[in-house]
Amino acid sequence: MIYLYDGTKEGFLTAFVTSFQDKNALLASSRIQLQIGAKPLIVETDFCVAKRAEERLTSFDRDCMHDLDRLLRSGDCDRDQTVLRYFRFLAEKKRSVWNMLSESAVIAAYECIQRVNIEIHRMKGFVRFTESASGALYAPISTDHEIFDLILPHFRARMPRFPFVIHDVKRKKAAVYDGQHTFIAPLDNAEILLSENELQWQSRWKKYFQSVNIPERERLKQQRGYLPIRYRKLMPEFQ
C-alpha cells in the first residue's frame, strides 16, 4: 500500500503510525507515478496522533525529531522510504540507533542528513546578494534540499543592519529579515530593480575577472570543484 502524506513532520508521524503494521508500506509526500490499478491511501494529518508518536519516539532517542527535520528537508527521490525505514528501525529497537552504522536503514539516513548539512555549509558561502534600489538585499537560490530558512540566522548575524530576502525559487518560498524580525513567506516571482551602486560593482567584477583570467590556464575542472555548476545559474557573477 502507498500512503500519501503532506510532507510535514506531523503528516509523516501520522502516516508512520498508520502504516506501521504494513511491512510493505510505501510512503510518498509528492506526486509519484503509480502502477496501473494501484490505489494510494491519502493520510490526513492528525495532530493528536502525531504528538503521541513524537513523545513515544523521543523517549527512545531525544534527538530523533531533529533528525526527522533534516530528513524531511532532503530533496532525494527516495527520501520518504529512507525516513520510514529509519524510524521503523528506531521504533523496533526502542532505543537510539544512530551509532548502528552497520545497519542499512541507519546508513541511508546518516548519508541523507549529511547531504543536507553539507549543502547548508556550502550555501553560507555560495549565496550571492544583490542590492536593490530600496537598499534591501535580495538573493535567489535553487538548492537540492529545502534549507533556505536554516541559513537565514547565519546571514542575520553577519548583516544585522541590512534587510534582506533569501528566495528559494524552486520551492517558491522566501526567508525575510526586515532589520528586526525574521519570517517565512510564499514568493512565486520577484522583479528586482538594482541600485546604481550594484550595477557598478557587477561591471567592475566582470572587468576584474577578465583582467586576471588566463585563457590558456582556465582550470575549469578545478573551478567546478570549488563552485559546482548547479549553483551558478542564479549568481550575479555568472549572469
Side-chain angles (χ1 to χ4, degrees):
M1 175 68 74
I2 299 174
Y3 299 80
L4 299 180
Y5 72 102
D6 61 8
T8 64
K9 180 186 79 172
E10 291 78 13
F12 167 78
L13 291 172
T14 305
F16 176 71
V17 172
T18 303
S19 65
F20 189 76
Q21 299 300 328
D22 183 357
K23 300 302 181 182
N24 298 315
L26 296 175
L27 262 61
S29 57
S30 59
R31 293 182 179 180
I32 59 173
Q33 185 66 42
L34 300 176
Q35 296 180 351
I36 297 176
K39 294 182 179 180
L41 173 64
I42 299 176
V43 180
E44 298 292 339
T45 300
D46 187 320
F47 289 91
C48 293
V49 171
K51 184 178 180 180
R52 291 196 298 270
E54 179 176 349
E55 291 173 350
R56 181 66 170 167
L57 290 168
T58 51
S59 71
F60 304 147
D61 180 357
R62 63 182 181 181
D63 297 323
C64 67
M65 288 300 110
H66 177 271
D67 298 334
L68 177 59
D69 175 73
R70 288 295 191 269
L71 289 166
L72 292 179
R73 291 176 179 274
S74 170
D76 295 352
C77 61
D78 58 349
R79 177 201 69 183
D80 292 314
Q81 287 310 108
T82 297
V83 187
L84 175 61
R85 290 176 58 214
Y86 176 73
F87 276 87
R88 186 187 293 276
F89 187 60
L90 172 64
E92 290 172 349
K93 293 297 182 181
K94 294 184 172 57
R95 62 187 177 88
S96 175
V97 297
W98 193 241
N99 62 346
M100 300 182 185
L101 291 176
S102 62
E103 297 290 339
S104 60
V106 180
I107 294 172
Y110 176 83
E111 292 178 345
C112 183
I113 291 175
Q114 282 295 96
R115 287 190 288 272
V116 174
N117 288 336
I118 287 172
E119 189 165 56
I120 292 172
H121 175 72
R122 283 178 172 175
M123 295 310 294
K124 290 177 180 179
F126 290 167
V127 171
R128 294 294 186 267
F129 291 93
T130 56
E131 184 183 58
S132 68
S134 67
L137 305 179
Y138 171 77
I141 63 173
S142 181
T143 53
D144 297 333
H145 313 294
E146 187 172 341
I147 61 169
F148 69 101
D149 56 321
L150 296 182
I151 60 178
L152 186 151
H154 170 79
F155 291 104
R156 176 177 177 173
R158 291 286 302 275
M159 307 181 297
R161 295 184 294 112
F162 297 95
F164 62 80
V165 176
I166 300 175
H167 182 194
D168 187 336
V169 298
K170 181 186 293 186
R171 298 166 183 86
K172 298 182 179 181
K173 298 179 181 179
V176 182
Y177 174 58
D178 63 6
Q180 292 184 323
H181 310 96
T182 57
F183 56 92
I184 307 301
L187 181 60
D188 288 342
N189 300 302
E191 295 184 6
I192 306 300
L193 179 62
L194 299 180
S195 68
E196 185 62 31
N197 186 53
E198 176 67 26
L199 293 172
Q200 291 179 7
W201 275 111
Q202 290 191 20
S203 176
R204 289 171 183 171
W205 160 257
K206 292 176 181 178
K207 290 179 180 178
Y208 166 76
F209 185 82
Q210 291 171 359
S211 66
V212 300
N213 183 45
I214 302 175
E216 293 80 11
R217 299 180 62 188
E218 288 188 315
R219 301 182 183 276
L220 297 179
K221 184 177 180 180
Q222 186 180 45
Q223 290 180 26
R224 288 192 292 269
Y226 290 141
L227 180 54
I229 292 176
R230 68 180 182 276
Y231 296 130
R232 298 183 185 185
K233 58 184 178 181
L234 297 175
M235 291 184 174
E237 295 96 325
F238 296 95
Q239 299 301 313

